[in-house]
Amino acid sequence: MPIIKSSIKDLRRTARRSAANRAAKGKLRSNLTRVRSAITENQGQAAAQAMAAATPVIDRAVGKRILHKNAAARHKSRLMRQLNRLTKPAAS
């Protein structure tokens, strides 16, 4: 345990930030999992709704510096590509 007053305050601040980051990461992961599971179960409508709900969560994670902007773009791109394959009929 630190003795210096500012270091004690830093510990409290770190604990608050870590808790907020953990909550935001959990929300992000659960939204991504929801989209992926809907896609794997071939539920086009549910997957589209889950993707619509997940997109702003991904963008907020970038704003909070929880996720890098390129990683967010990659997640969104891959999920949208899978969703489009699911909803569009196969080319003959």
Side-chain angles (χ1 to χ4, degrees):
M1 283 299 294
I3 298 172
I4 300 169
K5 199 171 190 178
S6 62
S7 297
I8 295 169
K9 184 178 179 180
D10 284 338
L11 275 181
R12 288 195 310 261
R13 186 183 305 132
T14 301
R16 277 195 307 268
R17 288 177 181 170
S18 296
N21 286 338
R22 253 194 323 275
K25 281 182 187 178
K27 188 173 185 178
L28 174 67
R29 287 190 193 120
S30 63
N31 275 282
L32 293 175
T33 303
R34 210 169 288 131
V35 175
R36 288 187 191 117
S37 65
I39 288 172
T40 56
E41 294 170 3
N42 290 330
Q43 299 174 342
Q45 186 67 23
Q49 290 175 348
M51 185 63 193
T55 302
V57 174
I58 294 170
D59 293 335
R60 271 196 297 276
V62 172
K64 294 177 181 182
R65 295 183 178 185
I66 292 168
L67 193 62
H68 191 273
K69 64 180 182 176
N70 291 349
R74 185 179 65 244
H75 283 298
K76 290 194 291 188
S77 174
R78 287 178 181 174
L79 289 173
M80 284 304 295
R81 189 173 58 213
Q82 291 172 358
L83 181 62
N84 288 336
R85 283 186 196 145
L86 177 67
T87 56
K88 290 182 182 174
S92 301

Coordinates of all heavy atoms in Angstrom, one line a residue:
M1 N 0.8 -1.2 0.0 CA 0.0 0.0 0.0 C 0.9 1.2 0.0 O 1.9 1.3 0.7 CB -0.9 0.0 1.2 CG -2.1 -0.9 1.2 SD -3.2 -0.5 -0.1 CE -3.9 1.0 0.3
P2 N 0.5 2.2 -0.8 CA 1.3 3.4 -0.8 C 1.0 4.3 0.4 O 0.0 4.2 1.1 CB 0.7 4.2 -2.1 CG -0.6 3.6 -2.3 CD -0.6 2.2 -1.8
I3 N 2.0 5.1 0.7 CA 1.9 5.9 1.9 C 1.6 7.4 1.5 O 0.9 8.1 2.2 CB 3.3 5.9 2.7 CG1 3.5 4.5 3.2 CG2 3.3 6.9 3.8 CD1 4.9 4.3 3.8
I4 N 2.1 7.7 0.3 CA 1.9 9.1 -0.2 C 0.5 9.3 -0.6 O -0.2 8.5 -1.2 CB 2.8 9.3 -1.4 CG1 4.3 9.1 -1.0 CG2 2.6 10.7 -2.0 CD1 5.3 9.1 -2.1
K5 N -0.1 10.5 -0.1 CA -1.5 10.8 -0.3 C -1.9 10.8 -1.8 O -3.0 10.2 -2.1 CB -1.7 12.2 0.3 CG -3.2 12.5 0.6 CD -3.3 13.8 1.4 CE -4.6 14.0 1.9 NZ -4.8 15.2 2.7
S6 N -1.1 11.3 -2.7 CA -1.4 11.3 -4.1 C -1.4 9.9 -4.7 O -2.2 9.6 -5.6 CB -0.5 12.2 -4.9 OG 0.8 11.7 -4.8
S7 N -0.6 9.0 -4.2 CA -0.6 7.7 -4.6 C -1.8 6.9 -4.2 O -2.3 6.0 -4.9 CB 0.7 6.9 -4.1 OG 1.8 7.6 -4.7
I8 N -2.3 7.2 -3.0 CA -3.5 6.6 -2.5 C -4.6 7.0 -3.4 O -5.5 6.2 -3.8 CB -3.7 7.0 -1.0 CG1 -2.6 6.4 -0.1 CG2 -5.1 6.5 -0.5 CD1 -2.6 6.9 1.3
K9 N -4.7 8.3 -3.7 CA -5.7 8.8 -4.6 C -5.6 8.1 -6.0 O -6.6 7.8 -6.6 CB -5.6 10.3 -4.7 CG -6.7 10.9 -5.5 CD -6.5 12.4 -5.5 CE -7.6 13.1 -6.4 NZ -7.5 14.5 -6.4
D10 N -4.4 7.9 -6.4 CA -4.2 7.3 -7.7 C -4.8 5.9 -7.7 O -5.4 5.4 -8.7 CB -2.7 7.2 -8.1 CG -2.2 8.6 -8.6 OD1 -3.0 9.4 -9.0 OD2 -1.0 8.8 -8.5
L11 N -4.6 5.1 -6.6 CA -5.1 3.8 -6.5 C -6.7 3.8 -6.6 O -7.3 3.0 -7.3 CB -4.7 3.2 -5.2 CG -3.4 2.5 -5.1 CD1 -3.2 1.9 -3.7 CD2 -3.3 1.4 -6.2
R12 N -7.3 4.8 -5.9 CA -8.8 4.9 -6.0 C -9.2 5.2 -7.4 O -10.2 4.6 -7.9 CB -9.3 5.9 -5.0 CG -9.2 5.5 -3.6 CD -10.0 6.5 -2.7 NE -9.8 7.9 -2.9 CZ -9.0 8.6 -2.2 NH1 -8.3 8.1 -1.1 NH2 -8.8 9.9 -2.5
R13 N -8.5 6.1 -8.0 CA -8.9 6.5 -9.4 C -8.7 5.3 -10.4 O -9.6 5.1 -11.2 CB -8.0 7.7 -9.8 CG -8.3 8.3 -11.2 CD -7.4 9.4 -11.6 NE -7.3 10.4 -10.6 CZ -6.1 10.9 -10.2 NH1 -5.0 10.4 -10.7 NH2 -6.1 11.9 -9.3
T14 N -7.6 4.6 -10.2 CA -7.4 3.4 -11.1 C -8.5 2.4 -10.9 O -8.9 1.8 -11.9 CB -6.0 2.8 -10.8 OG1 -5.0 3.8 -11.0 CG2 -5.7 1.6 -11.6
A15 N -8.9 2.2 -9.6 CA -9.9 1.2 -9.4 C -11.2 1.6 -10.0 O -12.0 0.8 -10.6 CB -10.1 1.0 -7.9
R16 N -11.6 2.9 -10.0 CA -12.8 3.4 -10.6 C -12.8 3.2 -12.1 O -13.7 2.7 -12.7 CB -13.0 4.9 -10.3 CG -13.7 5.1 -9.0 CD -14.2 6.6 -8.9 NE -13.2 7.5 -9.2 CZ -12.4 8.1 -8.3 NH1 -12.5 7.8 -7.0 NH2 -11.5 9.0 -8.6
R17 N -11.6 3.6 -12.7 CA -11.5 3.5 -14.1 C -11.5 2.0 -14.6 O -12.1 1.7 -15.6 CB -10.2 4.1 -14.6 CG -10.2 5.7 -14.5 CD -8.9 6.3 -14.8 NE -8.9 7.7 -14.7 CZ -7.9 8.5 -14.8 NH1 -6.7 8.0 -15.0 NH2 -8.0 9.8 -14.7
S18 N -10.8 1.2 -13.8 CA -10.8 -0.3 -14.2 C -12.2 -0.9 -14.2 O -12.5 -1.7 -15.0 CB -9.9 -1.0 -13.3 OG -8.6 -0.6 -13.4
A19 N -13.0 -0.5 -13.2 CA -14.3 -1.0 -13.1 C -15.2 -0.5 -14.3 O -15.9 -1.3 -14.8 CB -15.0 -0.5 -11.8
A20 N -15.0 0.7 -14.6 CA -15.8 1.3 -15.8 C -15.4 0.6 -17.1 O -16.2 0.2 -17.9 CB -15.6 2.8 -15.9
N21 N -14.0 0.4 -17.2 CA -13.5 -0.3 -18.4 C -14.0 -1.7 -18.5 O -14.4 -2.2 -19.6 CB -12.0 -0.2 -18.5 CG -11.5 1.2 -18.8 OD1 -12.2 2.0 -19.4 ND2 -10.3 1.4 -18.5
R22 N -14.0 -2.4 -17.4 CA -14.5 -3.8 -17.3 C -15.9 -3.9 -17.7 O -16.3 -4.8 -18.5 CB -14.3 -4.4 -15.9 CG -13.2 -5.4 -15.8 CD -13.2 -6.2 -14.5 NE -13.6 -5.5 -13.4 CZ -12.8 -4.8 -12.6 NH1 -11.6 -4.6 -12.9 NH2 -13.3 -4.2 -11.5
A23 N -16.7 -3.0 -17.2 CA -18.2 -3.0 -17.6 C -18.4 -2.7 -19.1 O -19.2 -3.4 -19.7 CB -18.9 -1.9 -16.7
A24 N -17.6 -1.7 -19.6 CA -17.8 -1.4 -21.0 C -17.3 -2.5 -21.9 O -17.9 -2.8 -22.9 CB -17.0 -0.1 -21.3
K25 N -16.2 -3.2 -21.5 CA -15.7 -4.3 -22.3 C -16.7 -5.5 -22.3 O -16.9 -6.2 -23.3 CB -14.4 -4.8 -21.7 CG -13.2 -4.0 -22.2 CD -11.9 -4.6 -21.6 CE -10.7 -3.7 -21.8 NZ -9.5 -4.2 -21.3
G26 N -17.3 -5.7 -21.1 CA -18.3 -6.8 -21.0 C -19.5 -6.5 -21.9 O -20.0 -7.4 -22.5
K27 N -19.9 -5.3 -21.9 CA -21.1 -4.9 -22.7 C -20.7 -5.1 -24.2 O -21.5 -5.6 -25.0 CB -21.5 -3.5 -22.5 CG -22.8 -3.1 -23.1 CD -23.2 -1.7 -22.7 CE -24.5 -1.3 -23.3 NZ -25.0 0.0 -22.9
L28 N -19.5 -4.7 -24.6 CA -19.1 -4.9 -25.9 C -19.0 -6.3 -26.3 O -19.5 -6.7 -27.4 CB -17.7 -4.2 -26.1 CG -17.0 -4.4 -27.4 CD1 -17.7 -3.7 -28.5 CD2 -15.5 -4.0 -27.3
R29 N -18.4 -7.2 -25.5 CA -18.3 -8.6 -25.8 C -19.6 -9.3 -25.9 O -19.9 -10.1 -26.7 CB -17.4 -9.3 -24.7 CG -16.0 -9.0 -24.8 CD -15.2 -9.9 -23.9 NE -13.8 -9.4 -23.8 CZ -13.2 -9.0 -22.6 NH1 -13.9 -9.1 -21.5 NH2 -12.0 -8.5 -22.6
S30 N -20.5 -8.9 -25.0 CA -21.9 -9.5 -25.0 C -22.6 -9.2 -26.3 O -23.3 -10.0 -26.8 CB -22.7 -9.2 -23.8 OG -22.9 -7.8 -23.7
N31 N -22.5 -7.9 -26.7 CA -23.2 -7.5 -28.0 C -22.6 -8.2 -29.2 O -23.3 -8.7 -30.0 CB -23.1 -6.0 -28.2 CG -24.1 -5.3 -27.4 OD1 -25.3 -5.2 -27.9 ND2 -23.8 -4.7 -26.3
L32 N -21.2 -8.4 -29.2 CA -20.6 -9.1 -30.3 C -21.0 -10.5 -30.3 O -21.3 -11.1 -31.4 CB -19.1 -9.0 -30.2 CG -18.5 -7.6 -30.4 CD1 -17.0 -7.6 -30.2 CD2 -18.8 -7.1 -31.8
T33 N -21.1 -11.2 -29.1 CA -21.5 -12.5 -29.0 C -22.9 -12.7 -29.5 O -23.3 -13.7 -30.2 CB -21.3 -13.0 -27.6 OG1 -20.0 -12.8 -27.2 CG2 -21.7 -14.5 -27.4
R34 N -23.8 -11.8 -29.1 CA -25.2 -11.9 -29.5 C -25.3 -11.9 -31.1 O -26.1 -12.6 -31.6 CB -26.0 -10.7 -28.9 CG -27.4 -11.0 -28.6 CD -28.0 -9.8 -27.8 NE -27.5 -9.9 -26.4 CZ -27.1 -8.8 -25.8 NH1 -27.0 -7.6 -26.3 NH2 -26.7 -8.9 -24.5
V35 N -24.5 -11.0 -31.7 CA -24.6 -10.9 -33.2 C -24.1 -12.2 -33.8 O -24.7 -12.8 -34.7 CB -23.8 -9.7 -33.7 CG1 -23.7 -9.7 -35.2 CG2 -24.3 -8.4 -33.2
R36 N -22.9 -12.7 -33.3 CA -22.3 -13.9 -33.8 C -23.2 -15.1 -33.7 O -23.3 -15.9 -34.6 CB -21.0 -14.2 -33.2 CG -19.9 -13.2 -33.6 CD -18.5 -13.6 -33.0 NE -17.6 -12.5 -33.2 CZ -17.0 -11.9 -32.3 NH1 -17.2 -12.2 -31.0 NH2 -16.1 -10.9 -32.6
S37 N -23.9 -15.2 -32.5 CA -24.7 -16.4 -32.3 C -26.0 -16.3 -33.2 O -26.4 -17.4 -33.7 CB -25.1 -16.5 -30.8 OG -25.9 -15.4 -30.4
A38 N -26.5 -15.2 -33.4 CA -27.6 -15.0 -34.3 C -27.3 -15.4 -35.7 O -28.0 -16.0 -36.5 CB -28.2 -13.6 -34.2
I39 N -26.0 -15.0 -36.1 CA -25.6 -15.3 -37.5 C -25.4 -16.8 -37.6 O -25.8 -17.4 -38.6 CB -24.3 -14.6 -37.8 CG1 -24.6 -13.1 -38.0 CG2 -23.6 -15.1 -39.0 CD1 -23.4 -12.2 -38.1
T40 N -24.8 -17.5 -36.6 CA -24.5 -18.9 -36.7 C -25.8 -19.7 -36.7 O -25.8 -20.8 -37.2 CB -23.5 -19.4 -35.6 OG1 -24.1 -19.1 -34.4 CG2 -22.2 -18.8 -35.8
E41 N -26.8 -19.2 -36.1 CA -28.1 -19.9 -36.0 C -29.0 -19.6 -37.2 O -30.2 -19.9 -37.2 CB -28.8 -19.6 -34.7 CG -28.1 -20.1 -33.5 CD -28.7 -19.6 -32.2 OE1 -29.7 -18.9 -32.2 OE2 -28.1 -19.9 -31.1
N42 N -28.5 -18.8 -38.2 CA -29.2 -18.5 -39.4 C -30.5 -17.7 -39.1 O -31.5 -17.9 -39.7 CB -29.5 -19.7 -40.2 CG -28.3 -20.3 -40.9 OD1 -27.3 -19.5 -41.1 ND2 -28.3 -21.6 -41.1
Q43 N -30.4 -16.8 -38.1 CA -31.6 -16.0 -37.8 C -31.3 -14.6 -38.3 O -30.7 -13.7 -37.7 CB -31.8 -15.9 -36.3 CG -32.1 -17.2 -35.6 CD -32.1 -17.1 -34.1 OE1 -31.6 -16.2 -33.5 NE2 -32.7 -18.1 -33.5
G44 N -31.7 -14.4 -39.6 CA -31.3 -13.1 -40.3 C -31.9 -11.9 -39.6 O -31.2 -10.9 -39.4
Q45 N -33.2 -11.9 -39.3 CA -33.8 -10.8 -38.7 C -33.2 -10.5 -37.3 O -32.9 -9.3 -37.0 CB -35.3 -11.0 -38.6 CG -36.1 -9.8 -38.1 CD -36.1 -8.7 -39.1 OE1 -35.9 -8.9 -40.3 NE2 -36.3 -7.5 -38.6
A46 N -33.0 -11.5 -36.5 CA -32.5 -11.3 -35.2 C -31.0 -10.8 -35.3 O -30.6 -9.9 -34.5 CB -32.5 -12.6 -34.4
A47 N -30.3 -11.3 -36.2 CA -28.9 -10.9 -36.4 C -28.8 -9.4 -36.9 O -27.9 -8.7 -36.4 CB -28.2 -11.8 -37.5
A48 N -29.7 -9.0 -37.7 CA -29.7 -7.6 -38.2 C -30.1 -6.7 -37.0 O -29.4 -5.6 -36.9 CB -30.8 -7.5 -39.3
Q49 N -31.0 -7.1 -36.2 CA -31.3 -6.3 -35.0 C -30.2 -6.2 -34.0 O -29.9 -5.2 -33.4 CB -32.6 -6.8 -34.3 CG -33.9 -6.6 -35.1 CD -35.1 -7.2 -34.5 OE1 -34.9 -8.0 -33.5 NE2 -36.2 -6.9 -35.0
A50 N -29.5 -7.4 -33.8 CA -28.4 -7.4 -32.9 C -27.2 -6.6 -33.4 O -26.6 -5.9 -32.7 CB -27.9 -8.8 -32.7
M51 N -27.0 -6.6 -34.7 CA -26.0 -5.8 -35.3 C -26.3 -4.3 -35.2 O -25.4 -3.5 -34.9 CB -25.8 -6.1 -36.8 CG -24.7 -5.5 -37.5 SD -23.1 -5.9 -36.7 CE -22.0 -4.7 -37.4
A52 N -27.6 -3.9 -35.4 CA -28.0 -2.5 -35.2 C -27.7 -2.1 -33.8 O -27.4 -0.9 -33.5 CB -29.4 -2.4 -35.6
A53 N -27.9 -3.0 -32.8 CA -27.7 -2.6 -31.4 C -26.2 -2.6 -31.1 O -25.7 -1.8 -30.2 CB -28.4 -3.6 -30.5
A54 N -25.4 -3.4 -31.7 CA -24.0 -3.6 -31.4 C -23.2 -2.4 -32.0 O -22.1 -2.1 -31.4 CB -23.5 -4.9 -31.9
T55 N -23.6 -1.9 -33.1 CA -22.8 -0.9 -33.8 C -22.5 0.3 -32.9 O -21.4 0.8 -32.8 CB -23.4 -0.5 -35.2 OG1 -23.5 -1.7 -36.0 CG2 -22.6 0.5 -35.9
P56 N -23.5 0.9 -32.3 CA -23.2 2.1 -31.4 C -22.4 1.7 -30.2 O -21.6 2.5 -29.7 CB -24.6 2.6 -31.0 CG -25.6 1.7 -31.5 CD -25.0 0.7 -32.4
V57 N -22.5 0.5 -29.7 CA -21.7 0.0 -28.6 C -20.2 0.0 -29.0 O -19.4 0.4 -28.2 CB -22.2 -1.3 -28.1 CG1 -21.3 -1.9 -27.0 CG2 -23.6 -1.2 -27.5
I58 N -20.0 -0.5 -30.2 CA -18.6 -0.6 -30.7 C -18.1 0.8 -30.9 O -16.9 1.1 -30.5 CB -18.6 -1.3 -32.1 CG1 -18.9 -2.8 -31.9 CG2 -17.2 -1.2 -32.7 CD1 -19.2 -3.6 -33.2
D59 N -18.9 1.7 -31.4 CA -18.4 3.1 -31.6 C -18.1 3.8 -30.3 O -17.2 4.6 -30.2 CB -19.4 3.9 -32.4 CG -19.5 3.4 -33.9 OD1 -18.5 2.8 -34.3 OD2 -20.6 3.6 -34.5
R60 N -19.0 3.5 -29.3 CA -18.7 4.1 -28.0 C -17.5 3.6 -27.3 O -16.7 4.3 -26.6 CB -19.9 3.9 -27.0 CG -21.0 4.9 -27.1 CD -22.0 4.9 -26.0 NE -22.7 3.6 -25.9 CZ -23.8 3.3 -26.6 NH1 -24.3 4.2 -27.4 NH2 -24.4 2.2 -26.5
A61 N -17.2 2.3 -27.6 CA -15.9 1.7 -27.0 C -14.7 2.4 -27.6 O -13.7 2.6 -27.0 CB -15.9 0.2 -27.3
V62 N -14.8 2.8 -28.9 CA -13.7 3.6 -29.5 C -13.6 4.9 -28.9 O -12.5 5.4 -28.6 CB -14.0 3.7 -31.1 CG1 -12.9 4.7 -31.7 CG2 -13.9 2.4 -31.7
G63 N -14.7 5.6 -28.6 CA -14.7 6.9 -28.0 C -14.1 6.9 -26.6 O -13.5 7.8 -26.1
K64 N -14.3 5.7 -25.9 CA -13.8 5.6 -24.5 C -12.4 5.0 -24.5 O -11.8 4.7 -23.5 CB -14.7 4.7 -23.7 CG -16.1 5.3 -23.5 CD -17.0 4.4 -22.7 CE -18.3 5.0 -22.5 NZ -19.2 4.1 -21.7
R65 N -11.8 4.8 -25.7 CA -10.5 4.2 -25.9 C -10.3 2.8 -25.3 O -9.3 2.4 -24.8 CB -9.4 5.2 -25.3 CG -9.3 6.5 -26.0 CD -8.2 7.3 -25.4 NE -8.1 8.6 -26.2 CZ -7.2 9.5 -26.0 NH1 -6.3 9.3 -25.1 NH2 -7.2 10.6 -26.7
I66 N -11.4 2.1 -25.4 CA -11.4 0.7 -24.9 C -11.0 -0.2 -26.1 O -10.4 -1.2 -25.9 CB -12.8 0.3 -24.4 CG1 -13.0 1.1 -23.1 CG2 -12.9 -1.2 -24.1 CD1 -14.4 1.0 -22.5
L67 N -11.4 0.3 -27.3 CA -11.1 -0.5 -28.5 C -10.5 0.5 -29.5 O -10.9 1.7 -29.6 CB -12.4 -1.0 -29.1 CG -12.5 -2.0 -30.1 CD1 -11.8 -3.3 -29.6 CD2 -13.9 -2.4 -30.5
H68 N -9.5 0.0 -30.2 CA -8.8 0.9 -31.3 C -9.8 1.0 -32.4 O -10.6 0.1 -32.7 CB -7.5 0.2 -31.7 CG -6.7 1.1 -32.6 ND1 -6.8 1.2 -33.9 CD2 -5.7 1.9 -32.2 CE1 -6.0 2.1 -34.4 NE2 -5.2 2.5 -33.4
K69 N -9.7 2.2 -33.1 CA -10.7 2.5 -34.2 C -10.5 1.5 -35.3 O -11.6 1.1 -35.9 CB -10.5 3.9 -34.7 CG -9.2 4.2 -35.4 CD -9.1 5.6 -35.9 CE -7.8 5.9 -36.5 NZ -7.7 7.2 -37.1
N70 N -9.3 1.0 -35.6 CA -9.2 0.0 -36.7 C -9.7 -1.4 -36.3 O -10.3 -2.1 -37.1 CB -7.7 -0.2 -37.1 CG -7.2 1.1 -37.8 OD1 -7.9 2.0 -38.1 ND2 -5.8 1.1 -37.9
A71 N -9.6 -1.7 -35.0 CA -10.2 -2.9 -34.5 C -11.7 -2.9 -34.6 O -12.4 -3.9 -34.9 CB -9.7 -3.2 -33.1
A72 N -12.3 -1.7 -34.2 CA -13.7 -1.5 -34.3 C -14.2 -1.7 -35.8 O -15.2 -2.3 -36.0 CB -14.1 -0.2 -33.7
A73 N -13.5 -1.0 -36.7 CA -13.8 -1.1 -38.1 C -13.7 -2.6 -38.6 O -14.6 -3.0 -39.3 CB -12.9 -0.2 -38.9
R74 N -12.7 -3.3 -38.1 CA -12.6 -4.7 -38.5 C -13.8 -5.5 -38.0 O -14.3 -6.3 -38.7 CB -11.3 -5.2 -38.0 CG -11.0 -6.6 -38.4 CD -9.6 -7.1 -37.9 NE -9.6 -7.2 -36.5 CZ -8.8 -6.5 -35.7 NH1 -8.0 -5.6 -36.1 NH2 -8.9 -6.7 -34.4
H75 N -14.1 -5.3 -36.7 CA -15.3 -6.1 -36.1 C -16.5 -5.8 -36.9 O -17.3 -6.7 -37.3 CB -15.5 -5.7 -34.7 CG -14.5 -6.3 -33.7 ND1 -14.4 -7.6 -33.5 CD2 -13.6 -5.7 -32.9 CE1 -13.5 -7.9 -32.6 NE2 -13.0 -6.7 -32.2
K76 N -16.8 -4.5 -37.2 CA -18.0 -4.1 -37.9 C -18.0 -4.7 -39.3 O -19.1 -5.2 -39.8 CB -18.2 -2.6 -37.9 CG -18.6 -2.1 -36.5 CD -19.0 -0.6 -36.6 CE -18.0 0.3 -37.0 NZ -18.4 1.7 -36.9
S77 N -16.9 -4.6 -40.0 CA -16.8 -5.1 -41.3 C -17.0 -6.6 -41.4 O -17.8 -7.1 -42.3 CB -15.4 -4.7 -41.9 OG -15.3 -5.3 -43.2
R78 N -16.4 -7.3 -40.6 CA -16.5 -8.8 -40.6 C -18.0 -9.2 -40.3 O -18.5 -10.1 -40.9 CB -15.6 -9.4 -39.6 CG -14.1 -9.4 -40.1 CD -13.2 -10.0 -39.2 NE -11.8 -9.9 -39.6 CZ -10.8 -10.3 -38.9 NH1 -10.9 -10.7 -37.7 NH2 -9.5 -10.2 -39.5
L79 N -18.6 -8.6 -39.3 CA -19.9 -8.9 -38.9 C -20.9 -8.6 -40.0 O -21.8 -9.4 -40.3 CB -20.3 -8.3 -37.6 CG -19.6 -8.8 -36.3 CD1 -19.9 -8.0 -35.1 CD2 -20.0 -10.3 -36.1
M80 N -20.7 -7.4 -40.6 CA -21.6 -7.0 -41.7 C -21.5 -7.9 -42.9 O -22.5 -8.3 -43.5 CB -21.4 -5.6 -42.1 CG -21.9 -4.5 -41.1 SD -23.7 -4.7 -40.8 CE -24.4 -4.4 -42.4
R81 N -20.3 -8.4 -43.2 CA -20.1 -9.3 -44.3 C -20.8 -10.6 -44.0 O -21.4 -11.1 -44.9 CB -18.6 -9.5 -44.5 CG -18.2 -10.2 -45.8 CD -16.8 -10.3 -46.1 NE -16.1 -10.9 -45.0 CZ -14.9 -10.6 -44.5 NH1 -14.2 -9.6 -45.1 NH2 -14.3 -11.2 -43.5
Q82 N -20.7 -11.1 -42.8 CA -21.3 -12.4 -42.5 C -22.9 -12.2 -42.5 O -23.6 -13.1 -43.0 CB -20.9 -12.8 -41.1 CG -19.5 -13.3 -41.0 CD -19.0 -13.6 -39.6 OE1 -19.8 -13.4 -38.6 NE2 -17.8 -14.0 -39.4
L83 N -23.3 -11.1 -42.0 CA -24.8 -10.8 -42.0 C -25.3 -10.7 -43.4 O -26.4 -11.2 -43.8 CB -25.0 -9.5 -41.2 CG -26.5 -9.1 -41.1 CD1 -27.3 -10.1 -40.3 CD2 -26.6 -7.7 -40.4
N84 N -24.5 -10.0 -44.3 CA -25.0 -9.9 -45.7 C -25.0 -11.2 -46.4 O -25.9 -11.5 -47.2 CB -24.1 -8.9 -46.5 CG -24.3 -7.5 -46.0 OD1 -25.4 -7.2 -45.5 ND2 -23.3 -6.6 -46.2
R85 N -24.0 -12.1 -46.1 CA -24.1 -13.4 -46.7 C -25.3 -14.2 -46.2 O -25.9 -15.0 -47.0 CB -22.8 -14.2 -46.3 CG -21.6 -13.8 -47.1 CD -20.4 -14.7 -46.7 NE -19.2 -14.2 -47.1 CZ -18.0 -14.3 -46.5 NH1 -18.0 -15.0 -45.3 NH2 -16.9 -13.8 -46.9
L86 N -25.7 -14.0 -45.0 CA -26.8 -14.7 -44.4 C -28.1 -14.2 -45.0 O -29.0 -15.0 -45.4 CB -26.8 -14.5 -42.9 CG -28.0 -15.1 -42.1 CD1 -27.9 -16.6 -42.2 CD2 -27.9 -14.7 -40.7
T87 N -28.3 -12.9 -45.2 CA -29.6 -12.4 -45.6 C -29.8 -12.4 -47.1 O -30.9 -12.5 -47.6 CB -29.7 -10.9 -45.1 OG1 -28.6 -10.1 -45.5 CG2 -29.8 -10.9 -43.6
K88 N -28.7 -12.3 -47.9 CA -28.9 -12.3 -49.4 C -28.9 -13.7 -49.9 O -28.1 -14.6 -49.4 CB -27.7 -11.5 -50.0 CG -27.8 -10.0 -49.8 CD -26.6 -9.3 -50.5 CE -26.7 -7.8 -50.1 NZ -25.5 -7.1 -50.7
P89 N -29.7 -14.0 -50.9 CA -29.7 -15.3 -51.4 C -28.4 -15.6 -52.2 O -27.8 -14.7 -52.7 CB -30.9 -15.3 -52.4 CG -31.1 -13.9 -52.7 CD -30.6 -13.1 -51.5
A90 N -28.1 -16.9 -52.3 CA -26.8 -17.3 -52.9 C -27.0 -17.1 -54.4 O -28.0 -17.3 -55.0 CB -26.6 -18.8 -52.6
A91 N -25.9 -16.6 -55.0 CA -25.9 -16.4 -56.5 C -25.9 -17.8 -57.2 O -25.2 -18.7 -56.8 CB -24.6 -15.6 -56.9
S92 N -26.7 -17.8 -58.3 CA -26.8 -19.1 -59.0 C -25.7 -19.2 -60.0 O -25.2 -18.4 -60.7 CB -28.1 -19.1 -59.8 OG -29.2 -19.0 -58.9

